Short mmCIF file of all heavy atoms in Angstrom, two decimals:
data_model
loop_
_atom_site.label_atom_id
_atom_site.label_comp_id
_atom_site.label_asym_id
_atom_site.label_seq_id
_atom_site.Cartn_x
_atom_site.Cartn_y
_atom_site.Cartn_z
N GLY E 1 45.84 72.85 131.47
CA GLY E 1 46.15 71.80 130.52
C GLY E 1 47.48 71.13 130.77
O GLY E 1 48.23 71.49 131.68
N PRO E 2 47.81 70.14 129.94
CA PRO E 2 49.04 69.37 130.11
C PRO E 2 50.25 70.11 129.51
O PRO E 2 50.12 71.16 128.88
CB PRO E 2 48.75 68.10 129.31
CG PRO E 2 47.87 68.58 128.19
CD PRO E 2 46.99 69.65 128.80
N VAL E 3 51.41 69.52 129.70
CA VAL E 3 52.60 69.96 128.97
C VAL E 3 52.56 69.31 127.59
O VAL E 3 52.46 68.08 127.47
CB VAL E 3 53.89 69.56 129.71
CG1 VAL E 3 55.11 69.90 128.87
CG2 VAL E 3 53.96 70.25 131.06
N TYR E 4 52.59 70.14 126.57
CA TYR E 4 52.51 69.65 125.19
C TYR E 4 53.90 69.49 124.59
O TYR E 4 54.89 70.08 125.05
CB TYR E 4 51.69 70.61 124.34
CG TYR E 4 50.22 70.64 124.64
CD1 TYR E 4 49.64 71.72 125.30
CD2 TYR E 4 49.39 69.59 124.26
CE1 TYR E 4 48.28 71.76 125.56
CE2 TYR E 4 48.02 69.61 124.53
CZ TYR E 4 47.48 70.71 125.18
OH TYR E 4 46.13 70.74 125.45
N ASP E 5 53.95 68.74 123.49
CA ASP E 5 55.19 68.54 122.73
C ASP E 5 55.31 69.66 121.70
O ASP E 5 54.76 69.58 120.60
CB ASP E 5 55.19 67.17 122.06
CG ASP E 5 56.46 66.92 121.26
OD1 ASP E 5 57.37 67.77 121.29
OD2 ASP E 5 56.53 65.88 120.57
N ALA E 6 56.06 70.70 122.05
CA ALA E 6 56.19 71.85 121.15
C ALA E 6 56.99 71.52 119.90
O ALA E 6 56.97 72.30 118.94
CB ALA E 6 56.86 73.01 121.90
N SER E 7 57.69 70.40 119.88
CA SER E 7 58.52 70.10 118.71
C SER E 7 57.71 69.76 117.47
O SER E 7 58.26 69.71 116.37
CB SER E 7 59.49 68.95 119.02
OG SER E 7 58.83 67.70 119.05
N ILE E 8 56.39 69.53 117.62
CA ILE E 8 55.60 69.27 116.41
C ILE E 8 55.38 70.55 115.60
O ILE E 8 54.92 70.50 114.46
CB ILE E 8 54.25 68.60 116.71
CG1 ILE E 8 53.26 69.59 117.32
CG2 ILE E 8 54.42 67.36 117.55
CD1 ILE E 8 51.82 69.12 117.21
N LEU E 9 55.74 71.71 116.17
CA LEU E 9 55.63 72.96 115.43
C LEU E 9 56.87 73.11 114.56
O LEU E 9 57.68 74.03 114.70
CB LEU E 9 55.50 74.14 116.38
CG LEU E 9 54.33 74.09 117.37
CD1 LEU E 9 54.42 75.24 118.36
CD2 LEU E 9 53.00 74.13 116.63
N SER E 10 57.03 72.19 113.61
CA SER E 10 58.28 72.10 112.85
C SER E 10 57.99 71.61 111.44
O SER E 10 56.94 71.03 111.15
CB SER E 10 59.25 71.13 113.54
OG SER E 10 58.68 69.84 113.64
N ASP E 11 58.96 71.84 110.55
CA ASP E 11 58.85 71.36 109.17
C ASP E 11 58.63 69.85 109.14
O ASP E 11 57.90 69.34 108.28
CB ASP E 11 60.14 71.67 108.40
CG ASP E 11 60.36 73.15 108.17
OD1 ASP E 11 59.47 73.94 108.53
OD2 ASP E 11 61.43 73.52 107.65
N GLU E 12 59.29 69.16 110.05
CA GLU E 12 59.22 67.70 110.04
C GLU E 12 57.83 67.18 110.40
O GLU E 12 57.54 66.00 110.18
CB GLU E 12 60.25 67.13 111.01
CG GLU E 12 61.69 67.31 110.57
CD GLU E 12 62.23 68.72 110.77
OE1 GLU E 12 61.59 69.54 111.47
OE2 GLU E 12 63.31 69.01 110.21
N CYS E 13 56.97 68.05 110.92
CA CYS E 13 55.63 67.64 111.35
C CYS E 13 54.54 68.47 110.67
O CYS E 13 53.43 68.59 111.19
CB CYS E 13 55.49 67.76 112.86
SG CYS E 13 56.68 66.79 113.80
N GLY E 14 54.84 69.04 109.53
CA GLY E 14 53.91 69.95 108.88
C GLY E 14 52.80 69.31 108.08
O GLY E 14 52.21 69.96 107.23
N GLY E 15 52.53 68.03 108.33
CA GLY E 15 51.44 67.38 107.62
C GLY E 15 51.82 66.85 106.26
O GLY E 15 50.96 66.40 105.51
N HIS E 16 53.10 66.89 105.91
CA HIS E 16 53.54 66.45 104.60
C HIS E 16 54.68 65.46 104.75
O HIS E 16 55.29 65.34 105.80
CB HIS E 16 54.02 67.64 103.76
CG HIS E 16 52.98 68.69 103.57
ND1 HIS E 16 52.75 69.68 104.50
CD2 HIS E 16 52.10 68.91 102.57
CE1 HIS E 16 51.77 70.46 104.08
NE2 HIS E 16 51.37 70.02 102.91
N GLN E 17 55.00 64.81 103.65
CA GLN E 17 56.18 63.97 103.63
C GLN E 17 57.42 64.86 103.61
O GLN E 17 57.34 66.07 103.58
CB GLN E 17 56.14 63.07 102.39
CG GLN E 17 54.97 62.10 102.38
CD GLN E 17 54.91 61.28 101.12
OE1 GLN E 17 55.64 61.54 100.17
NE2 GLN E 17 54.03 60.29 101.09
N ALA E 18 58.60 64.23 103.63
CA ALA E 18 59.85 64.99 103.59
C ALA E 18 59.85 65.93 102.40
O ALA E 18 59.30 65.63 101.34
CB ALA E 18 61.04 64.04 103.50
N HIS E 19 60.45 67.08 102.58
CA HIS E 19 60.56 68.13 101.56
C HIS E 19 59.21 68.78 101.27
O HIS E 19 59.04 69.39 100.22
CB HIS E 19 61.14 67.59 100.23
CG HIS E 19 62.26 66.62 100.39
ND1 HIS E 19 63.47 66.96 100.96
CD2 HIS E 19 62.34 65.30 100.08
CE1 HIS E 19 64.25 65.88 100.96
NE2 HIS E 19 63.60 64.87 100.45
N GLY E 20 58.26 68.71 102.20
CA GLY E 20 56.93 69.24 101.90
C GLY E 20 56.46 70.38 102.78
O GLY E 20 55.46 71.01 102.47
N SER E 21 57.16 70.67 103.89
CA SER E 21 56.78 71.76 104.78
C SER E 21 57.97 72.69 104.95
O SER E 21 59.08 72.23 105.20
CB SER E 21 56.33 71.22 106.14
OG SER E 21 55.19 70.39 105.98
N PHE E 22 57.72 74.01 104.86
CA PHE E 22 58.85 74.91 104.61
C PHE E 22 58.90 76.15 105.48
O PHE E 22 59.71 77.03 105.22
CB PHE E 22 58.82 75.37 103.15
CG PHE E 22 58.71 74.26 102.15
CD1 PHE E 22 57.72 74.27 101.19
CD2 PHE E 22 59.60 73.21 102.17
CE1 PHE E 22 57.63 73.24 100.25
CE2 PHE E 22 59.52 72.18 101.25
CZ PHE E 22 58.53 72.20 100.29
N THR E 23 58.04 76.31 106.47
CA THR E 23 57.94 77.61 107.14
C THR E 23 58.63 77.57 108.51
O THR E 23 59.81 77.35 108.60
CB THR E 23 56.47 78.05 107.23
OG1 THR E 23 55.71 77.07 107.96
CG2 THR E 23 55.87 78.21 105.86
N GLY E 24 57.89 77.82 109.57
CA GLY E 24 58.45 77.85 110.91
C GLY E 24 57.35 78.17 111.90
O GLY E 24 56.22 78.52 111.53
N ALA E 25 57.66 78.05 113.18
CA ALA E 25 56.67 78.27 114.23
C ALA E 25 56.41 79.76 114.44
O ALA E 25 57.33 80.57 114.39
CB ALA E 25 57.13 77.63 115.52
N PHE E 26 55.15 80.09 114.69
CA PHE E 26 54.71 81.44 115.03
C PHE E 26 53.99 81.39 116.38
O PHE E 26 53.53 80.33 116.82
CB PHE E 26 53.74 81.99 113.98
CG PHE E 26 54.39 82.52 112.74
CD1 PHE E 26 55.00 81.68 111.82
CD2 PHE E 26 54.40 83.88 112.46
CE1 PHE E 26 55.60 82.17 110.68
CE2 PHE E 26 54.98 84.39 111.32
CZ PHE E 26 55.58 83.53 110.41
N VAL E 27 53.86 82.55 117.00
CA VAL E 27 53.04 82.69 118.19
C VAL E 27 52.26 83.98 118.07
O VAL E 27 52.80 85.01 117.63
CB VAL E 27 53.90 82.66 119.48
CG1 VAL E 27 54.91 83.79 119.51
CG2 VAL E 27 53.02 82.67 120.71
N GLY E 28 50.97 83.93 118.40
CA GLY E 28 50.18 85.14 118.22
C GLY E 28 48.76 85.01 118.68
O GLY E 28 48.42 84.11 119.47
N MET E 29 47.93 85.90 118.18
CA MET E 29 46.54 86.04 118.58
C MET E 29 45.62 85.65 117.43
O MET E 29 45.92 85.94 116.28
CB MET E 29 46.27 87.50 118.99
CG MET E 29 47.17 87.98 120.12
SD MET E 29 47.48 89.79 120.07
CE MET E 29 48.66 89.90 118.72
N ALA E 30 44.49 85.02 117.76
CA ALA E 30 43.59 84.55 116.73
C ALA E 30 42.14 84.70 117.20
O ALA E 30 41.86 84.76 118.40
CB ALA E 30 43.88 83.09 116.38
#
């Protein structure tokens, strides 16, 4: 695959407007 933009794994890109996403990036198995 390509090189992805890992910065979307952030509060600023959590699918909400400002002040709406509050967690952080994880890595794991699913």
Side-chain angles (χ1 to χ4, degrees):
V3 174
Y4 290 107
D5 180 4
S7 75
I8 74 161
L9 303 173
S10 60
D11 292 355
E12 291 76 13
C13 301
H16 302 84
Q17 297 176 351
H19 320 296
S21 298
F22 308 127
T23 59
F26 280 70
V27 60
M29 302 152 284

